[in-house]
Each structure stands twice: as structure tokens, then as C-alpha cells.
Amino acid sequence: MIKKISDKDKEDWENFLKNKQKIPNKKFLQKKDIRGKKTIEILEKDKQDWENFIKNKEKIPNKDFVNKKNIRQEKIKKIDLHGYTIEEANKAVEQFIQKSLDENVTKIIVITGKGLRSKNVQNPYLSRDLSILKYSVPEFIENNKNLTRVIIETTDAKIEDGGSGAFYIYLKNKFKIK
């Protein structure tokens, strides 16, 4: 499709070309692009900067390998509570969290089990859910102010770490606890 230029457009273009002012004091190099179709104008200063950069022997640090001081290395510990009573499990978890905090552990995997073989289920005087470690240990942690102060969050575990019979505890950095 060929479009004809109107007389007014042609006149405007010619006026533009006549009035176009060149930028003083800037030396441009003309260079063709890879395909040889376009002409690219490069400032002489830019060319000189590029050449200086190439000649410089200093290496640019790779940002992927720079040691980042603000990031803690992930350190994971596990505790298995199979066979513990509720009181024993709560005490063990509290001690384990404090010990892990001192060792600068970032993530704890708490394995409680699913409670399928719990003998407490048959006792009519006990709560069916709260008598099972799977429910009582997270409840204990949430209600313990000393523990909630050092914990970022608790989440369900992935299937490879125990699935519904386990959960994660993410600990704060011991140097940043107020």
C-alpha cells in the first residue's frame, strides 16, 4: 500500500529540515548496525568510555557469588515426638526450640505423627483433638509467650518431611530478638 503525501505534509517536512539545528560541540561517529541497514550515531565520549572499560584489568564482581552478609545460611534440625505424652512433648519442644535458637537454627521440623494409633482417642474424658500431639503441640507453642517471641511462623510440613504428621517452625535470628 503506497500512501501519497499531501502538499501540506510535504511543506511541513521541508520546513522541519530547514529549521533543524545541529547540536554543537558533540562529535558523533556513524556506525552501521549489524544488518547494515541503520546508521547509529555514537558520541565520541561514549566510545572512549567503552575503550577504557575494556582496557581496565579490574574484574567486575559476579553478583551471584558475592557473599551476602545479611542472609543467614539455612540450618535445619528435626525433633520426633512419637511416643511422647503431651507433657513430655511440650517440655521437649520448648527445650529444643531454645537449644536451636542458641545454635542459630533457621528451621525446625517437628514430627508429631498423625495420631492414628493414639490410645487417648478411646478415653471419653479427654478431648479427641487436643489429646493428640498433632494438635496439642502447636497449641502449646502459640500460647507460650517465650516461644512466640522467637518464632517467625509455623507452617504445615511438605509431604516429604512428614506431611500432615509434621510441621515447620521458622526461628528468628537470635541477634535480632528484642
Side-chain angles (χ1 to χ4, degrees), residues 106-145:
T106 56
K107 177 177 164 183
I108 300 173
I109 302 171
V110 181
I111 302 168
T112 58
K114 296 177 184 166
L116 299 176
R117 295 181 198 90
S118 176
K119 292 175 178 63
N120 293 339
V121 175
Q122 299 162 353
N123 189 338
Y125 299 106
L126 292 175
S127 165
R128 185 175 192 143
D129 289 341
L130 292 179
S131 65
I132 297 174
L133 294 180
K134 173 183 174 178
Y135 302 108
S136 64
V137 172
E139 178 85 16
F140 168 76
I141 292 169
E142 287 175 22
N143 294 327
N144 188 324
K145 289 184 180 180

Side-chain angles (χ1 to χ4, degrees), residues 34-87:
I34 297 170
R35 289 167 271 160
K37 294 180 181 176
K38 278 187 187 172
T39 301
I40 302 170
E41 293 183 341
I42 301 172
L43 282 172
E44 185 68 39
K45 183 186 179 306
D46 289 341
K47 183 182 176 194
Q48 190 62 42
D49 287 346
W50 178 249
E51 287 172 356
N52 290 340
F53 173 76
I54 291 174
K55 288 177 190 174
N56 192 351
K57 298 293 181 194
E58 259 182 63
K59 291 192 175 185
I60 298 173
N62 185 341
K63 68 179 183 175
D64 295 332
F65 295 112
V66 173
N67 188 10
K68 296 177 182 169
K69 294 177 184 174
N70 295 339
I71 297 176
R72 287 196 299 168
Q73 295 294 321
E74 186 175 59
K75 190 173 178 185
I76 301 171
K77 281 194 144 193
K78 281 184 184 181
I79 182 169
D80 190 343
L81 301 175
H82 279 99
Y84 283 67
T85 65
I86 292 175
E87 293 79 22

